[in-house]
Amino acid sequence: MLNSKIILALETSCDETAVAILRGRNGHSGSQLLASEVASQIAEHEKFGGVVPEVASRNHLVHAPRLLERVTREAKIGISQIDAFAATSGPGLASSLMIGASIAKGLAIGFGKPYLAINHLEGHLLSPFFGETEIKPNVSLVVSGGHTMSIFVRGVGEYEVIGRTVDDAAGEAFDKIAKLLGLGYPGGPEIERCAAKGDSKRFDLPRSMPESENFSFSGLKTAVRYLLPTLGGDFLADVCASVQQAIVDVLVRKTIAAAKKFDVDLVTVSGGVSCNRELRKQLSKACKGQRVEFKTAEAWLCTDNAAMIAFAAMLKLENGASSNVTEEIDPNLALAV
Ligand code: KG4
Ligand code: ZN
């Protein structure tokens, strides 16, 4: 383990404060997670039915120093032993990104170590390979609260966006529809839980833009809004199952179409919505039908965390890359090609 580097990464792009420490690859063995902590702010934002940027930013300031202390203790690493500091630099909420990036830059300058600015989407899309040494070409579906994107991944840093949402992200659709149904936040897990007992064929909900490589979910939300006042009796489980199936159908169909178009042997899925068991099951089955390998990460790596940011940073550091500390955060940061 003598030559492997150690990275500390912060993720504060939205409402989760996360810090992780990762030891880089040693010979043929992949990187090893030494500590990863996430402080969720769900309780603070739940009463508003969504994330309030000002509240998120203030909470990052409270949680980050506490988590930094905890991960170094867990990893049994002194902060001076860290070889590089990384943070998510976008996309996300400006006031949230600023906190993690400022801390990582401050530590990098203070300890005279490299700083790495990491794209949040790159963190997600590399997460199915977490800890591995090789990133195989794949069609990657990134589905979260803020993003729905299919990407052709040639390797680290070589990305071609195939399709993206033209309105709501898949997770945003889950969250907004859950709110219409009076369910809690975040809505995805709530809808999945209710859908388990429901009939997904009871309501015929729209599958928008079937011929496009892009995605659209706002029509689904509107359809549910108009459907609800017409319903009586017991409908919640059936609406949830029908909504979930409408979203899963579109994601599976477009991902398989992209895999065929780009002639890949591998499909990956990441981001918070990829925790959804129906999505995993149906995408995995569809991939099997096409003789394409399917890969995803464990659920804890799919929702926002700093381990995926540390992993992306480690792959870059091992390729000799680092960022300038003058590099600004960018709330609209595009995926580099
Ligand atoms: O990746 P993530 O933690 O944050 C963003 O980068 O946005 O994703 C959060 C999103 C939320 O919209 C949440 O409702 C959704 O992921 N989500 C799910 C499930 N678990 C989380 N959606 C559907 N089914 C789930 N089980
Ligand atoms: Zn995310």
Side-chain angles (χ1 to χ4, degrees):
M1 293 265 182
L2 277 178
N3 297 323
S4 57
K5 299 219 186 285
I6 299 174
I7 276 190
L8 184 146
L10 292 108
E11 152 62 42
T12 62
S13 65
C14 189
D15 62 336
E16 242 94 48
T17 318
V19 188
I21 300 180
L22 184 83
R23 190 190 288 276
R25 85 163 70 162
N26 179 41
H28 292 299
S29 58
S31 46
Q32 179 199 359
L33 187 64
L34 301 182
S36 175
E37 291 288 334
V38 181
S40 168
Q41 300 182 17
I42 286 176
E44 282 95 340
H45 299 280
E46 199 170 19
K47 53 183 173 287
F48 303 106
V51 177
V52 182
E54 171 74 15
V55 174
S57 174
R58 284 172 186 271
N59 275 299
H60 287 314
L61 268 180
V62 174
H63 293 311
R66 203 169 51 76
L67 294 188
L68 274 169
E69 211 186 298
R70 201 187 294 171
V71 290
T72 48
R73 203 171 48 234
E74 268 172 42
K76 300 188 176 60
I77 296 280
I79 203 119
S80 60
Q81 292 171 265
I82 306 279
D83 296 301
F85 295 91
T88 305
S89 62
L93 299 169
S95 51
S96 286
L97 289 165
M98 215 164 63
I99 309 293
S102 304
I103 294 173
K105 286 178 187 179
L107 289 169
I109 294 168
F111 288 95
K113 300 287 169 62
Y115 164 67
L116 291 109
I118 302 298
N119 185 307
H120 183 79
L121 295 169
E122 193 171 16
H124 276 306
L125 74 85
L126 293 172
S127 65
F129 298 93
F130 188 77
E132 297 180 15
T133 51
E134 192 197 355
I135 308 299
K136 281 205 274 178
N138 66 96
V139 160
S140 159
L141 175 68
V142 179
V143 267
S144 70
H147 304 276
T148 298
M149 231 179 222
S150 56
I151 302 140
F152 173 45
V153 177
R154 280 191 195 82
V156 180
E158 293 180 80
Y159 311 121
E160 183 176 333
V161 176
I162 305 165
R164 50 159 54 93
T165 183
V166 297
D167 41 52
D168 292 347
E172 195 178 355
F174 273 114
D175 295 340
K176 288 178 173 171
I177 293 170
K179 199 170 173 185
L180 289 175
L181 293 169
L183 297 172
Y185 169 84
E190 294 284 312
I191 290 186
E192 179 174 9
R193 192 174 47 77
C194 293
K197 294 170 254 117
D199 172 8
S200 63
K201 296 199 178 69
R202 176 162 165 204
F203 301 108
D204 184 20
L205 296 169
R207 275 74 167 155
S208 301
M209 299 172 57
E211 304 308 325
S212 171
E213 289 175 319
N214 287 328
F215 302 84
S216 166
F217 293 105
S218 71
L220 175 63
K221 173 192 65 196
T222 308
V224 174
R225 174 172 291 141
Y226 285 115
L227 173 69
L228 289 180
T230 69
L231 302 178
D234 218 359
F235 59 80
L236 184 64
D238 293 343
V239 172
C240 286
S242 303
V243 164
Q244 178 174 267
Q245 192 54 46
I247 295 175
V248 168
D249 262 357
V250 171
L251 295 177
V252 170
R253 197 183 312 142
K254 295 194 180 197
T255 307
I256 295 296
K260 281 188 194 161
K261 179 176 169 182
F262 285 85
D263 195 23
V264 291
D265 301 327
L266 175 65
V267 160
T268 64
V269 62
S270 58
V273 179
S274 69
C275 293
N276 188 282
R277 282 179 288 262
E278 273 308 309
L279 175 60
R280 284 174 179 237
K281 197 169 93 190
Q282 295 183 35
L283 192 51
S284 162
K285 192 172 166 213
C287 286
K288 209 174 263 169
Q290 299 296 323
R291 298 180 191 284
V292 166
E293 189 191 342
F294 171 70
K295 203 173 170 67
T296 184
E298 288 174 48
W300 72 269
L301 258 172
C302 291
T303 49
D304 287 349
N305 65 84
M308 67 180 188
I309 303 302
F311 180 58
M314 185 61 82
L315 293 174
K316 287 177 188 294
L317 191 71
E318 286 170 346
N319 283 340
S322 69
S323 312
N324 199 313
V325 284
T326 58
E327 193 171 312
E328 300 279 3
I329 53 148
D330 181 353
N332 300 312
L333 188 63
L335 203 53
V337 284

